[in-house]
Amino acid sequence: MENIIIDTDERIRYITINRPEQLNALNVETIAELSEAFQLSDEDQDIRAIILTGSGEKAFIAGADIKEFADFTIGQGKELSARGHETLFNLVANLQTPVIAAINGYALGGGLELAMSCHIRIASDRAKLGLPEVSLGVIPGYGGTQRLAELVGKGRAMEIILTAGMISAEEAHQMGLVNHVTFPSGLMSRAEEIARQICKNSPRAIGLAIKAVNAGLMNKSRGYQKESKPLEKRLAQRILRKVPLHFWKSARLHLQETN
Ligand code: CAA
């Protein structure tokens, strides 16, 4: 695996996204590697908890890899979104082995969506979280509109999504988006403490409990379908193809000029 690091200590599996120079952005290869790593971890009877984090001090995951998107055709964009949803985001949410997101820095767009797919979230007090998609002319496409509303309620979710701003770890904690906030140096030990507590419990009962919690949210499936409507994907392609590499400011500017 070229984009992730996998370690195991006792019964805890550590999966670290290792693209610090790209702020751990999710490109196609990384999504595929993560998918495989999560599946293998879930199948391994010796693994009782998984901790997901990003390498470096700056980012957990700064979203989908926009540089890669820029060269995609409409078809490839749609395919990436649909495949990513099924092979990674939904996969993680439905694993029988609990996944703890240790959010060590920026968790933006697809990065926050992946953190929200995890079962538990812990953030360093330096972390910044947000769903900036609408500032790029798209909507969160990896379950973000649904999972954010589930976690923080409709009103707060609307504000975060519609303003496309970033919130601090402390704000995220106050609204229930993250379970705990720690000093950066204490992030992994807090995640490990929770993982070790999980390891003491029945893995079968834990798997069933995750299924039961998720089953209660299943009637939201129409929302997930709406989120992946082709129209938004088309728009994403139309805009992102035109965005130069310093996409962030440029994309906003582009939107202001074209809308
Ligand atoms: N994709 C690809 N590369 C990224 C990236 C991303 N999402 N985010 C950051 N990078 C790269 C930058 O291009 C830069 O690389 P180079 O040095 O080679 O140019 C490097 O990471 C460092 O980034 P910055 O210089 O921008 O760092 P900063 O400290 O000035 O800003 C930041 C940090 C605020 C997180 C800024 O990088 C940023 O806004 N990134 C984009 C975040 C974003 O829009 N994410 C959502 C993408 S859309 C999505 O995820 C949903 C979807 O499916 C469409």
Side-chain angles (χ1 to χ4, degrees), residues 50-205:
I50 302 167
I51 297 176
L52 173 69
T53 195
S55 67
E57 292 182 354
K58 209 165 163 183
F60 172 68
I61 304 168
D65 190 319
I66 298 179
K67 291 171 188 167
E68 187 179 63
F69 266 42
D71 295 327
F72 276 14
T73 63
I74 290 170
Q76 284 172 319
K78 279 169 68 177
E79 159 83 3
L80 175 76
S81 167
R83 193 149 32 89
H85 204 101
E86 280 318 306
T87 62
L88 183 58
F89 295 76
N90 274 353
L91 173 91
V92 169
N94 291 299
L95 288 183
Q96 304 301 287
T97 312
V99 185
I100 301 168
I103 304 172
N104 53 310
Y106 288 112
L108 302 174
L112 178 54
E113 290 179 294
L114 188 53
M116 291 193 291
S117 297
C118 296
H119 304 101
I120 295 168
R121 282 155 295 285
I122 302 165
S124 134
D125 62 8
R126 287 203 199 134
K128 297 263 183 222
L129 302 88
L131 292 175
E133 283 88 342
V134 300
S135 70
L136 291 166
V138 292
I139 71 167
Y142 287 132
T145 59
Q146 308 303 297
R147 292 197 175 100
L148 187 61
E150 281 163 17
L151 286 164
V152 306
K154 181 177 167 183
R156 291 189 180 108
M158 286 290 190
E159 186 173 338
I160 291 170
I161 294 167
L162 304 184
T163 61
M166 291 187 211
I167 59 169
S168 67
E170 192 47 54
E171 288 172 301
H173 182 226
Q174 279 166 16
M175 60 178 76
L177 179 53
V178 301
N179 302 50
H180 305 279
V181 179
T182 70
F183 291 119
S185 59
L187 180 66
M188 287 311 279
S189 56
R190 189 77 179 95
E192 284 163 352
E193 195 183 313
I194 294 171
R196 278 195 288 271
Q197 192 66 36
I198 287 170
C199 290
K200 291 181 191 164
N201 302 323
S202 155
R204 182 168 153 69

